[in-house]
């Protein structure tokens, strides 16, 4: 399913879509050996890979650098790249330069946060021949306005606004929609009322697919335990133990052995 048409087709066939974040070459090589449908070079990389407190710190330079690394390791997987904080608010020229850089770095599509307020930008990008994914509910680039990474759409007006935005984004031509941190029932209603696939994160089981941050699902971030996260590995402990063992082997003289040495 390398193309966005495959993405849409999967929904029409009732299939479910798996999306995972990816920020680097070696993770891309591993993901390419799995049936995962698509990767997202998310602006969450500013937190996960660079240690910043929010996604506000991601820049077009950063995104393009990571997209290029991922693209070098990825085979036959759709690569979606996040447009970073304010890229769509600095004028059309800046926006399209950012889109251009992400696509030339190897992305097949871009993702943009927001609803009604970003429709002209979404339309312009789509009309330029670049597939766009929407992102509603918790939009982390607005964390400072939202007062934290909180559940969204919890009041009837807030839920109606997300529903309306989803339909508007559909009409503007997005090929898919990320729905983050909304009640499961709202996610179900939205999923049933739009034609493009809805990919949930913290949005319950009724969406067309799910996305998780790779490092979170591998258990590499033990301090991050939201209710929606399922960990598939205790990665932090496993890596820590392997590195500790290496240190012990070096210091005890156990590494390298004769077999690991040249004659
Ligand atoms: O940046 C990101 O990783 C995202 C996902 C959480 C959907 O937008």
């Amino acid at each position: 399913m390398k193309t966005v048409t495959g993405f849409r087709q999967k929904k029409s066939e009732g299939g479910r879509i798996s999306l995972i974040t990816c920020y680097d070459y070696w993770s891309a090589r591993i993901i390419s050996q799995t049936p995962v449908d698509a990767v997202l070079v998310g602006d969450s990389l500013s937190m996960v890979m660079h240690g910043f407190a929010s996604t506000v710190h991601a820049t077009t330079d950063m995104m393009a650098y990571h997209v290029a690394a991922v693209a070098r390791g990825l085979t036959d997987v759709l690569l979606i790249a996040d447009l970073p904080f304010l890229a769509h608010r600095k004028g059309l020229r800046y926006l399209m330069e950012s889109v251009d850089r992400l696509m030339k770095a190897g992305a097949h599509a871009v993702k943009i946060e927001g609803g009604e307020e970003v429709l002209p930008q979404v339309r312009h990008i789509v009309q330029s021949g670049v597939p766009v994914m929407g992102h509603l509910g918790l939009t982390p680039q607005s964390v400072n306005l939202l007062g934290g990474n909180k559940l969204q759409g919890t009041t009837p007006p807030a839920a109606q606004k997300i529903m309306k935005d989803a339909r508007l984004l559909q009409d503007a031509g997005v090929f898919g929609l990320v729905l983050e941190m909304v009640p499961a029932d709202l996610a179900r209603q939205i999923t049933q009322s739009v034609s493009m696939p809805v990919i949930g994160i913290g949005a319950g089981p009724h969406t067309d697919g799910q996305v998780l941050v790779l490092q979170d699902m591998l258990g590499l971030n033990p301090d991050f335990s939201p209710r929606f996260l399922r960990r598939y590995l205790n990665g932090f402990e496993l890596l820590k133990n392997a590195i500790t063992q290496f240190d012990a082997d070096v210091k005890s003289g156990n590494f390298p052995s004769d077999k690991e040495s040249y004659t």
Side-chain angles (χ1 to χ4, degrees):
M1 198 181 63
K2 201 179 170 173
T3 64
V4 297
T5 45
F7 219 75
R8 283 202 203 92
Q9 196 182 334
K10 201 138 187 183
K11 174 161 182 155
S12 63
E13 291 167 353
R16 291 172 71 79
I17 297 167
S18 58
L19 181 64
I20 200 158
T21 65
C22 183
Y23 315 125
D24 61 74
Y25 170 76
W26 68 266
S27 307
R29 288 191 60 191
I30 296 172
I31 293 168
S32 294
Q33 300 287 313
T34 75
V36 160
D37 295 307
V39 302
L40 171 70
V41 181
D43 57 357
S44 51
L45 64 78
S46 74
M47 303 164 80
V48 179
M49 300 299 279
H50 295 270
F52 287 112
S54 78
T55 62
V56 163
H57 300 273
T59 63
T60 300
D61 279 349
M62 239 187 228
M63 297 306 300
Y65 176 80
H66 285 273
V67 167
V70 169
R72 284 192 288 271
L74 210 62
T75 19
D76 254 357
V77 185
L78 184 71
L79 196 172
I80 305 160
D82 257 335
L83 280 163
F85 183 62
L86 296 186
H88 56 295
R89 291 282 172 180
K90 296 179 180 171
L92 204 54
R93 188 177 182 89
Y94 185 89
L95 170 67
M96 294 315 290
E97 275 168 8
S98 298
V99 171
D100 194 23
R101 289 191 57 199
L102 297 181
M103 297 301 284
K104 288 203 169 77
H108 305 120
V110 297
K111 176 164 81 58
I112 187 166
E113 290 186 8
E116 194 165 9
E117 65 283 2
V118 299
L119 292 179
Q121 290 92 333
V122 169
R123 279 196 210 97
H124 190 84
I125 302 170
V126 173
Q127 283 162 10
S128 308
V130 175
V132 177
M133 174 172 251
H135 186 150
L136 294 172
L138 173 64
T139 45
Q141 291 174 9
S142 304
V143 62
N144 293 301
L145 194 64
L146 299 173
N149 291 325
K150 299 175 181 162
L151 190 67
Q152 302 295 309
T154 52
T155 63
Q160 279 155 22
K161 160 103 174 96
I162 299 174
M163 173 67 86
K164 182 179 169 207
D165 281 345
R167 291 196 177 122
L168 289 170
L169 285 169
Q170 167 184 263
D171 296 344
V174 299
F175 74 92
L177 176 68
V178 166
L179 200 50
E180 182 165 356
M181 292 284 284
V182 299
D185 197 48
L186 174 61
R188 181 182 54 75
Q189 289 174 42
I190 292 172
T191 303
Q192 287 171 355
S193 65
V194 294
S195 57
M196 70 278 192
V198 175
I199 311 298
I201 175 164
H206 310 297
T207 52
D208 301 301
Q210 299 290 329
V211 55
L212 283 178
V213 168
L214 179 67
Q215 283 76 359
D216 294 344
M217 57 89 79
L218 293 180
L220 292 168
N221 187 2
D223 306 330
F224 185 62
S225 302
R227 179 189 169 111
F228 68 78
L229 177 62
R230 184 177 296 180
R231 289 206 179 98
Y232 290 84
L233 196 73
N234 191 356
F236 193 90
E237 280 303 310
L238 284 173
L239 293 189
K240 192 181 82 181
N241 291 343
I243 294 164
T244 304
Q245 187 60 52
F246 165 71
D247 172 78
D249 286 351
V250 169
K251 290 177 180 163
S252 69
N254 184 35
F255 175 79
S257 65
D258 286 348
K259 264 175 83 178
E260 289 155 333
S261 306
Y262 298 98
T263 50

